[in-house]
Amino acid sequence: MSSQWTADDVPDCSGKTVVVTGANSGLGYEATKALAAKGAHVVMTVRSPERGREAAHAVQDAVADADLTLAKLDLADLDSVRRFSEWFHDTFDELHVLANNAGVMAIPRRETEQGFEMQFGVNHLGHFALTGLLLDRLRETEAETRVVTQSSGIHQNGEMDFSDPMAENSYDKWAAYAQSKLANLLFAYELQRRLERVGEEGVLSVGCHPGYAATNLQRRGPEMTGSFVRKLGMGLANRVFAQSAEMGALPMLYAATADDVRGGSYIGPTGLFGMRGYPGTATSSEASHDEDDAHRLWELSEDLTGVTYGI
């Protein structure tokens, strides 16, 4: 593994189809641009088609021959996830990488269309359903394929509260975010174990995190509460402490494309407490490796989404 692996080191992706959730800004946008520059056909999934079109035009301005498809996907609505899956199956015969990147962070309590707490619903359940619905395409593709799930260093603070997973009795925005990011890793590791149990060697499940990267994610919470002071503080922290979104996207790109990545890996920045730097192997919390919690979360996720994997 190179100590200074960058987007220039992404291998040739010609002929590969990649789905990136939350592709219109931040990490998703930077990953889309880098993958398109290496020849991938990138399916940019976005909640807002208007913002998606702006982002697609910007990628095409930066990468003249970018091969892009824009598709609407709202991870806060399982009906939208199913519609996207049906459209994808009708449109594409192969899927090489599914990058589960989109997310929300530390927002006031909201609920998804199906009544799930928003952070758990979008960050985990939406991606759990999406992955399950696209798994057949990943397994049918002849080349090696990957599911890359974006977590966060904040998962270290997470605890799975199975007695109140939707935080209906007590809600703390940061605790809910940490739980959703822990759920991302429990899912990523459990998916790899299940694939191995059925002898599926062609699909890898990998977790990653961006460190502290300057994106729009930090702005959403303050905007939703109308807190100008907090929004100003987040913006200042981004400028002073955070690395760029381009750097923050490198662990996801590495997890998605590097030849030496193994299933069940966790990739993140290797410098300054894992908050910044070039990508490499990272260490996740003990809780993220709890197989009993992973199994329990899997069963809960199948019950809530109605999506079963058959593995």
Side-chain angles (χ1 to χ4, degrees):
M1 181 182 295
S2 169
S3 61
Q4 293 192 347
W5 192 94
T6 72
D8 290 338
D9 296 305
V10 172
D12 179 48
C13 295
S14 299
K16 293 188 176 182
T17 300
V18 181
V19 170
V20 178
T21 67
N24 63 287
S25 66
L27 307 177
Y29 171 80
E30 294 297 339
T32 295
K33 187 166 62 174
L35 291 164
K38 293 294 184 171
H41 182 120
V42 184
V43 180
M44 301 176 65
T45 78
V46 296
R47 189 167 56 87
S48 165
E50 181 179 357
R51 290 197 295 270
R53 284 190 290 271
E54 292 174 358
H57 288 318
V59 172
Q60 288 169 332
D61 286 343
V63 182
D65 56 350
D67 189 5
L68 309 173
T69 298
L70 197 63
K72 181 174 173 57
L73 172 63
D74 184 356
L75 290 161
D77 183 357
L78 294 180
D79 292 335
S80 175
V81 176
R82 290 184 182 278
R83 284 193 296 271
F84 172 80
S85 171
E86 291 170 1
W87 168 83
F88 187 90
H89 280 84
D90 289 341
T91 309
F92 296 96
D93 294 325
E94 293 186 319
L95 175 58
H96 296 83
V97 178
L98 170 59
N100 291 326
N101 164 74
V104 291
M105 183 181 78
I107 61 173
R109 194 181 189 285
R110 300 285 190 275
E111 292 187 350
T112 69
E113 287 295 319
Q114 283 72 35
F116 309 136
E117 186 275 313
M118 186 67 74
Q119 297 189 83
F120 190 73
V122 169
N123 298 352
H124 169 62
L125 290 175
H127 284 122
F128 178 91
L130 178 66
T131 304
L133 292 169
L134 296 181
L135 186 61
D136 59 341
R137 277 289 180 266
L138 289 158
R139 297 182 76 181
E140 292 163 0
T141 300
E142 290 188 8
E144 179 187 89
T145 64
R146 300 184 189 184
V147 178
V148 177
T149 300
Q150 187 82 269
S151 183
S152 164
I154 293 175
H155 88 274
Q156 299 273 359
N157 301 329
E159 296 180 8
M160 292 305 306
D161 184 358
F162 289 106
S163 66
D164 187 23
M166 302 306 162
E168 294 173 298
N169 298 325
S170 176
Y171 180 75
D172 177 273
K173 61 188 178 183
W174 283 107
Y177 179 66
Q179 176 182 247
S180 74
K181 294 288 101 180
L182 173 59
N184 286 151
L185 285 183
L186 287 167
F187 163 66
Y189 297 156
E190 178 66 10
L191 176 58
Q192 180 62 35
R193 285 190 291 267
R194 289 177 180 245
L195 290 166
E196 290 175 357
R197 286 183 195 130
V198 298
E200 179 57 81
E201 299 178 353
V203 184
L204 305 182
S205 174
V206 185
C208 66
H209 79 97
Y212 185 5
T215 70
N216 292 333
L217 195 65
Q218 293 93 340
R219 197 175 65 194
R220 285 290 306 281
E223 284 180 344
M224 293 176 74
T225 58
S227 174
F228 174 77
V229 173
R230 284 188 58 233
K231 182 178 178 181
L232 186 66
M234 283 290 191
L236 179 62
N238 276 357
R239 287 193 294 273
V240 175
F241 300 112
Q243 63 180 353
S244 66
E246 185 177 11
M247 284 294 294
L250 291 182
M252 177 165 55
L253 288 167
Y254 194 98
T257 67
D259 291 337
D260 60 352
V261 172
R262 299 292 178 263
S265 298
Y266 182 47
I267 308 297
T270 55
L272 192 62
F273 309 113
M275 292 193 298
R276 58 193 306 133
Y278 296 97
T281 302
T283 301
S284 63
S285 68
E286 183 178 344
S288 71
H289 295 284
D290 188 319
E291 293 189 25
D292 289 336
D293 275 1
H295 181 72
R296 193 173 179 184
L297 175 64
W298 192 283
E299 290 191 330
L300 174 66
S301 302
E302 286 190 335
D303 288 342
L304 293 174
T305 64
V307 175
T308 57
Y309 281 53
I311 54 173

